[in-house]
Amino acid sequence: MPQFPNTRLRRLRQHDWVRRLVRETTLTPDDLIWTLVVSDSADPTEPVPSMPGIERLSVKAAAAAAKEAERLGIPAIAIFPHVDPGKKDETGSEGLNPDGLVASAVKAMKDAAPGVGIVCDVALDPFTTHGHDGVLKNGQVLNDETIERLQEQSVIYAQAGCDVIAPSDMMDGRIGKIRAALEEAGQADTLILSYAAKYASAFYGPYRDAIGSAKALSGDKKTYQMDPGNSQEALREVAMDIEEGADMLMVKPGLPYLDIVARVKMEFGMPTYAFQVSGEYAMIEAASSNGWIDGERVMMESLMAFKRAGADGVLTYFAPRAARVLNG
């Protein structure tokens, strides 16, 4: 091991130019996927109370956001729907509407900025009256019946122009079934970004507020999302999703599960993404607004942490703000 004084590590830290020259991990706009909520409200924008600075966007406003992503160099946007409560039912049938909110938003965004990738969350919770990610019967989320609906939902989104299908439901076997449905529908080039290791986390609260499912949720999601204490199980989930045809992998939430991000990337070498979820965003914003932290520096430091852990990119509500910082 090199010894002091022959080795002085501070020599490599004394000037900005040398710090940049020897930096091991870098972050650019290419590493960002902008997460945003689209709404069927008549209002162009609606603030999300638990996420300061985040708004639900109309289809027209979402199209403008796609143009902004193009200008900032953000390669992709992940969209999450907020639909009128009157359109929700027990089985989430509005999620299968080919003329519904998601399909309309995808078409408008692709027309506005064809070069920006669109990632579509595939799950039923934004569309169900009970707030669960699947078909609920006698208090139990049914695996196979849910998958049938997810297959149909995925094909509708792909036909609308969605580039990446991102199943977030954590039903067993859904990646293989969705891949088969896409192939049969002539959508073989559609990518699948699997929520391969999605934990039953307390960090999702503000998101449920944003999509309008927080008050509706009956019970919890522990029978299908992963136990926070498990890491070996995450590797099994990932291995199954790869075998079934996933093109890319996701770990969700992000910061509390950096060890999982690192293990997944090291074990499989697949394109791996972390989701900096709503609770992570809200904590940073709340502390920043109270003057307890430097919000911009913490934002950038947290994004760098994902890259350092091995993530190829980050889904984050901070994407446009971070891109502006990175673009100077």
Side-chain angles (χ1 to χ4, degrees):
M1 185 71 179
Q3 297 294 315
F4 176 87
N6 289 341
T7 299
R8 292 177 180 265
L9 292 177
R10 286 186 59 191
R11 284 196 291 258
L12 296 174
R13 303 173 193 155
Q14 60 186 318
H15 301 295
D16 177 66
W17 67 264
V18 73
R19 291 193 296 271
R20 287 159 42 213
L21 196 64
V22 302
R23 186 167 293 146
E24 299 170 20
T25 305
T26 57
L27 180 72
T28 77
D30 290 339
D31 300 314
L32 305 173
I33 297 175
W34 182 357
T35 55
L36 60 80
V37 179
V38 295
S39 175
D40 57 5
S41 169
D43 298 323
T45 61
E46 294 178 332
V48 179
S50 55
M51 300 178 69
I54 299 300
E55 298 175 317
R56 304 183 189 109
L57 305 180
S58 68
V59 169
K60 184 176 181 180
K67 289 293 291 182
E68 177 71 356
E70 183 178 58
R71 187 184 70 80
L72 292 170
I74 298 171
I77 296 175
I79 60 174
F80 301 87
H82 173 276
V83 299
D84 186 283
K87 296 179 180 178
K88 299 184 179 187
D89 59 25
E90 285 290 306
T91 59
S93 58
E94 180 61 21
L96 310 183
N97 181 358
D99 298 314
L101 173 61
V102 174
S104 299
V106 169
K107 292 172 184 176
M109 295 168 78
K110 293 302 289 186
D111 285 345
V116 175
I118 303 298
V119 181
C120 291
D121 177 75
V122 172
L124 300 180
D125 56 321
F127 308 103
T128 58
T129 50
H130 47 71
H132 279 285
D133 295 41
V135 177
L136 191 68
K137 186 175 182 180
N138 298 325
Q140 189 173 29
V141 175
L142 303 180
N143 193 89
D144 297 1
E145 290 83 348
T146 296
I147 290 176
E148 292 177 6
R149 301 185 76 77
L150 299 179
Q151 287 179 286
E152 187 176 348
Q153 188 179 28
S154 297
V155 169
I156 288 169
Y157 290 175
Q159 290 173 339
C162 180
D163 301 291
V164 184
I165 296 298
S168 63
D169 56 286
M170 289 300 285
M171 298 298 114
D172 289 333
R174 88 272 201 215
I175 299 301
K177 293 288 188 179
I178 289 172
R179 174 55 72 200
L182 291 171
E183 291 281 342
E184 186 177 346
Q187 299 293 332
D189 291 336
T190 303
L191 297 160
I192 296 180
L193 168 59
S194 170
Y195 286 64
K198 181 179 180 181
Y199 286 84
S201 171
F203 282 84
Y204 304 144
Y207 166 74
R208 290 172 185 160
D209 181 21
I211 67 165
S213 69
K215 294 180 181 178
L217 182 61
S218 56
D220 56 48
K221 302 189 178 186
K222 294 179 180 178
T223 66
Y224 47 101
Q225 295 177 357
M226 284 185 54
D227 189 305
N230 294 357
S231 57
Q232 290 298 122
E233 183 186 10
L235 300 186
R236 293 172 63 195
E237 287 277 9
V238 169
M240 289 176 66
D241 286 0
I242 294 171
E243 182 69 24
E244 292 175 19
D247 301 290
M248 301 178 285
L249 309 167
M250 188 199 299
V251 175
K252 181 181 180 181
L255 281 177
Y257 298 92
L258 287 178
D259 59 318
I260 307 301
V261 174
R263 291 192 69 188
V264 168
K265 185 61 179 181
M266 188 173 296
E267 180 79 16
F268 299 101
M270 289 272 291
T272 302
Y273 297 82
F275 198 138
Q276 187 177 45
V277 300
S278 60
E280 298 172 61
Y281 172 92
M283 287 194 304
I284 292 173
E285 283 300 287
S288 176
S289 66
N290 279 285
W292 298 335
I293 60 173
D294 181 328
E296 183 174 295
R297 287 186 62 194
V298 171
M299 171 184 72
M300 300 306 292
E301 189 175 339
S302 65
L303 293 171
M304 185 68 79
F306 297 119
K307 290 297 302 293
R308 196 179 62 250
D312 295 285
V314 188
L315 289 85
T316 177
Y317 298 92
F318 284 123
R321 288 163 57 183
R324 292 184 191 104
V325 173
L326 292 166
N327 289 331

